[in-house]
Amino acid sequence: MRLIYEKRSPDSPTKRLALCKNHHWAFGHSWFGVNDDYRIVIPWERFKEEAAVESRGMMQFKGEQIELPREERFMPSLEGLRWHRERWRIAGCGN
C-alpha cells in the first residue's frame, strides 16, 4: 500500500488514504474520488473501459465504501477528499 497526498491539498499527513500503486495513479488522474460518506464516486463521462479478463472494471466500484481505519485519528480528511473532488471536478458527477 502507498500513502497518497496531493501536495496542494489542505490535508495533514496523518489524514491520508492508503492505496495500491494502481489506485494511487487512478486517484491522482481523476478516475475516481471519495465522497463525504467515504464511498467511491466515478466521473462516468471521462473514460470508457473494458476490464481485463477476470477483473473488475472501474465502473463496478461506484458506490462502494472504502475500508476505514479503526482509529478516528487516522480517518481520511473530508476536507482533503472534497478538495480532490473539486480540484478534478468530480464533485458534480452525480455519484
Side-chain angles (χ1 to χ4, degrees), residues 11-22:
D11 242 348
S12 73
T14 59
K15 303 283 188 171
R16 300 176 183 182
L17 293 175
L19 301 170
C20 71
K21 68 179 184 175
N22 294 329

Side-chain angles (χ1 to χ4, degrees), residues 4-49:
I4 65 97
Y5 179 64
E6 295 284 346
K7 292 179 182 170
R8 292 177 291 273
S9 171
D11 242 348
S12 73
T14 59
K15 303 283 188 171
R16 300 176 183 182
L17 293 175
L19 301 170
C20 71
K21 68 179 184 175
N22 294 329
H23 290 112
H24 172 91
W25 184 92
F27 188 81
H29 285 83
S30 74
W31 278 29
F32 74 96
V34 178
N35 70 17
D36 287 358
D37 294 325
Y38 299 106
R39 295 194 178 278
I40 296 171
V41 292
I42 309 283
W44 298 99
E45 71 283 354
R46 296 207 182 147
F47 64 94
K48 294 185 180 185
E49 64 156 348

Side-chain angles (χ1 to χ4, degrees), residues 46-94:
R46 296 207 182 147
F47 64 94
K48 294 185 180 185
E49 64 156 348
E50 290 186 30
V53 176
E54 297 185 28
S55 71
R56 294 171 60 190
M58 283 294 291
M59 304 286 190
Q60 293 178 323
F61 288 94
K62 177 190 174 205
E64 282 193 21
Q65 187 169 31
I66 64 171
E67 188 172 335
L68 297 169
R70 291 185 180 130
E71 293 184 47
E72 181 70 28
R73 66 187 176 128
F74 295 121
M75 290 291 285
S77 163
L78 289 176
E79 181 182 0
L81 295 174
R82 285 182 200 123
W83 176 89
H84 178 264
R85 291 192 315 267
E86 290 169 10
R87 162 77 172 87
W88 294 106
R89 296 184 181 100
I90 297 172
C93 66

